Amino acid sequence: MVFLFQDLKNLYGVAKDKYKEFGVNTDLALNELKQISLSIHCWQGDDVGGFERPESVITGGGILSTGNYPGKARTIKELQMDLTKALSLIPGNQRVNLHASYGDFKRKFIDRNAIKPEHFQNWIDWAKEKKLGLDFNSTLFSHPKADSGYTLSSKSSEIRNFWIEHVQKCREISAEIGRQLNNPVIHNLWIPDGSKDIPVDRAGHRDLLKNSLDQIFDQKLNPEYVKDSLEGKLFGIGSEAFVVGSHDFYLSYAVKNNLMLTLDTGHFHPTESVADKLTAILPFLNGIMLHISRGVRWDSDHVVILNDDLMHLSEEIIRCKNREKIYLGLDFFDASINRLGAWVIGARSTLKSLLNALLQPLELLKEYEENNQLFQRLAYLEEIKSLPFGAVWDYYCYKHNVPIGKDWIKSVEEYEHSTLVNRT
Ligand code: RNT
Ligand code: ZN
């Protein structure tokens, strides 16, 4: 153990000197990384099931969790245990992102328009104990009143009003969580509304959605406790031809109403760059929430890995002005592999991409750019790709008391054998 630590320190020392040659201070980069939290999405732990009914499963909404790996969390207690385990393998202080369907309903069926802060007291107490911030999402899928494919933009006023009430309740719950934790909650709203085939009344549904949102945001809540964000999408299963709440719709609505916008990295055309969007829209918004995900063909929710898209996204997060207006969250669900292992892969890869961005010699690169020394800019960008990044990352993990390198994989395997296999 002593030797291992000495090795680690030596490697870090070598890496530190290497980065110094490029004018980068690795200690400062590690300090900056410590300030960034990821909002870990609770729904990876149980395939977006929630706790409204025994055996709740995701239905409708155009999203789907595939796979049947054993060990899915069946109760709040199990989910909190799994989250605690996952968080113990991720360096730094993170947050937890909840969905309205994950309340503590005590085996009673509470309909979505009747949920209250008391149903989330269990989560608030848990978060306090673990010193975690929380975020919140309204749940407008997996419900008979969402089966038509329309919720806030439904042509039925009864359905619309039901969902308006639900979102109003969710905003109040978010504000109460924010008040008790003394830490603002991002309330995110994503709706599944859309149609499989070509509609003729796009305008009608969009008018209705605008109207529903106006009613929802008419209620002013304390921005110290809750911040509202709207999430658009390109298409879903069963909403291939039309999505009412598209990116353009919510971007316009959020700018006009001084709200935040959620960019889910799986919700755009594959060649569109979400990284490029940040600086284009941030100046006009109250903030951006990122749902970091990985789109693969038709699926927008694969486990996040350290690929080019993620690296570019993190570079833009670190380089842009007003970084404090960008909130980071994960959003994927995979039931085909160890579920908490999936959380840790996504979170560690995201943190690695941020660290990589923090270790770039930005001032130097900007100088070359401004002097039109574009050969030097490109050459440096290529050279820094082979700097000893891994040693800096390992040192960060060591400093934060989480397993170094591949050791966390063993820890997930042990947890699977001791705990998850017993959940049948
Ligand atoms: C769906 C959206 C949304 C959901 C979660 C479960 O396409 O990305 O954010 O993934 O609310
Ligand atoms: Zn999302």
Side-chain angles (χ1 to χ4, degrees), residues 43 48 63 99 137 141 188 190 231 233 264 267 291 300-301 331 333:
W43 52 92
V48 209
I63 51 178
H99 240 287
N137 296 260
F141 50 85
N188 180 57
W190 169 76
E231 180 181 8
K233 193 169 181 174
D264 184 309
H267 288 190
H291 271 190
S300 59
D301 300 293
D331 183 12
F333 22 99

Side-chain angles (χ1 to χ4, degrees), residues 21-41:
E21 285 175 27
F22 289 74
V24 174
N25 182 329
T26 52
D27 290 336
L28 288 184
L30 293 184
N31 260 333
E32 284 212 44
L33 185 60
K34 203 165 76 181
Q35 320 296 328
I36 304 178
S37 318
L38 305 179
S39 194
I40 309 289
H41 55 314

